[in-house]
Amino acid sequence: MMSEVGGESCPLRVAIIGAGPAGFYAAEYLFKQKDLNVEVDLFDRLPTPYGLVRFGVAPDHPKIKSVSKVFDRVASKPGFRYFGFVELGKEIEVSDLRNYYHQIVYTVGAQSDKYLNIPGIDLERSHPATEFVAWYNGHPDYRHLSFDLSQESVAVIGIGNVALDVARILSRTIDELRVTDIADYALEALAQSKVKEVYILGRRGPAQAKFTTLELKELGEMADADIFVLPREAELDELSTASLANTDRGTVRNVEIIQGFAQRGSTGKKVKLHIRFLVSPIELVGDEEGGVASMRLAHNELYATEAGTLRPRMTESIEDLAVGLVFRSIGYRGVPLAGVPFNSDWGVILNTEGRVLNQDTQQPVLGEYTAGWIKRGPTGVIGTNKPDAVETVKHMLTDLASGNILQPAHPSAEEAELFIRERQPMYFSYADWLLLNEFEVSNGQAIGRPRLKISRIQDMIEARAASRHTD
Ligand code: NAP
């Protein structure tokens, strides 16, 4: 008689692709199942785990990063293995995974950004904020970038939390940044920064900003930056005022904080941080060398759609803002994985509640699932990925119970490891990551910093070899 998958003698074998929060939360919920014998192999294209917790969360937010302790606990479960530096679509393919696993979960996040289609957007010194974020966080693929911080005036387009992160990092003093794990080259570059004016630009009003309250408040508490909001832009129009009656507490608090900022004046701090509302960039104007010299803004008003959403509409009023550096912070966007159905309108894997759907039949694809930003889009905070992953895993368990799982030819941990090693002999295990982690922390502490991130993959390989040697 065939033994039951997930039972004592035949573990359910799951491959999770992408070692960010969604991947770890999916693994955590699988290990929580009392009567399930499960083995999870978690893959990442980079040697280091944690995804956006390492490369997205701002370095001056160490508390948010401490969620990595939860991930380390998941990684310590028997049955968990990590395969870092193994990329789906490069070293391994979906068809390979079907030979070794009963279920596959894609948790690759949103690796690109939304495009802002206005004249001049591709001028020099106009960048996606996502690239700046990855750069200052020491992401191996972005470490080579450079940003012209000799410009005095910078615009950040968008009023979400990423825009706040970018504006804060640009406005912090070097002493504030030194005590963080910001990449060493970014610290050096920011130490030379000439930035004096930072404009955060929202196309809608204070009641439609996507900020979380703590992050917004923090903007008014910077060591050497004053916050400015124009009183006329802090005032709500009638539609927004009415909308407050049916909104969440966070939005009401945000409006109060923004109106409080509007009452403040200069205290003579070095950087002037402005949040502007109801303005849409309509053109970036270049200088003779092809770099951004200014931005043309249209003033907006709000109108209600049939569904009741308040949308921006341009008026005839135009303004020119002199800025020499622009960051577009208007949202991340998912990128398709080869062989995995994709909804290109939304930038997510085609799925319903985490079950991947066949593009033609719209029926679930056997054994394939998704969680996190590549499932639902780039919304919510880290914790949002937990219920999101749970929803997916619940469907995986239902499908397991009804026998709707893949029938891999080699459902064995040893054979999977041999295969992966053949494709990527340099793969990083979790033990390797923990060595690298210790190495980064001790190098940081030696110079009074919490961590000195290694940002070159070659350096990670060498650090691992050196650490193994000394053990
Ligand atoms: P977001 O919260 O979706 O904000 C995007 C902003 O871009 C919105 O203000 C949006 O305005 C604006 N926008 C979009 N298209 C635009 C256009 N064509 N022109 C002008 N503005 C445009 O995205 P995010 O800031 O990238 O953050 C992603 C997620 O990560 C969010 O859920 C965020 O809360 C989370 N996050 C959390 C933290 C934290 O907790 N500390 C830190 C960073 C990120 P509309 O609303 O008008 O569309």
Side-chain angles (χ1 to χ4, degrees), residues 283-306:
E283 182 178 358
L284 299 188
V285 182
D287 60 17
E288 279 166 11
E289 280 91 46
V292 178
S294 69
M295 177 186 275
R296 183 148 288 187
L297 292 170
H299 294 164
N300 296 334
E301 59 189 11
L302 296 176
Y303 70 96
T305 63
E306 269 177 29

Side-chain angles (χ1 to χ4, degrees), residues 52 56-58 61 64 114-118 129-130 157-165 168 201-205 208-212 215 218 279-281 310-312 329-332 373 376 378-382 384:
L52 276 188
V57 173
H61 279 169
I64 301 183
K114 262 175 66 182
Y115 189 69
L116 183 63
N117 194 6
I118 58 169
T130 53
I157 306 170
I159 46 174
N161 280 330
V162 171
L164 292 190
D165 285 348
R168 244 186 13 261
L201 305 174
R203 63 177 169 180
R204 298 192 285 162
Q208 292 83 36
K210 297 264 180 72
F211 311 136
T212 43
E215 278 64 25
E218 194 181 8
V279 286
S280 277
L310 302 188
R311 303 297 314 155
S329 183
I330 61 168
Y332 285 76
W373 276 6
R376 70 171 192 279
T379 60
V381 294
I382 291 165
T384 315

Side-chain angles (χ1 to χ4, degrees), residues 30 143 159 194 220 225 244 301 341 364 453 470:
L30 281 166
R143 65 176 317 285
I159 46 174
K194 299 277 182 291
L244 287 189
E301 59 189 11
K453 276 188 179 175
T470 52

Side-chain angles (χ1 to χ4, degrees), residues 176-251:
E176 285 176 297
L177 291 175
R178 211 190 313 275
V179 296
T180 75
D181 69 357
I182 193 167
D184 51 355
Y185 55 79
L187 185 65
E188 261 173 51
L190 286 158
Q192 308 299 321
S193 166
K194 299 277 182 291
V195 171
K196 279 194 197 141
E197 307 269 354
V198 178
Y199 296 91
I200 304 173
L201 305 174
R203 63 177 169 180
R204 298 192 285 162
Q208 292 83 36
K210 297 264 180 72
F211 311 136
T212 43
T213 304
L214 265 183
E215 278 64 25
L216 176 61
K217 228 170 125 223
E218 194 181 8
L219 226 56
E221 298 159 357
M222 308 275 291
D224 206 11
D226 281 325
I227 182 87
F228 298 91
V229 173
L230 296 172
R232 66 163 195 273
E233 290 180 356
E235 280 312 308
L236 298 192
D237 63 320
E238 272 176 32
L239 290 170
S240 297
T241 305
S243 76
L244 287 189
N246 321 308
T247 191
D248 58 298
R249 175 91 197 100
T251 303

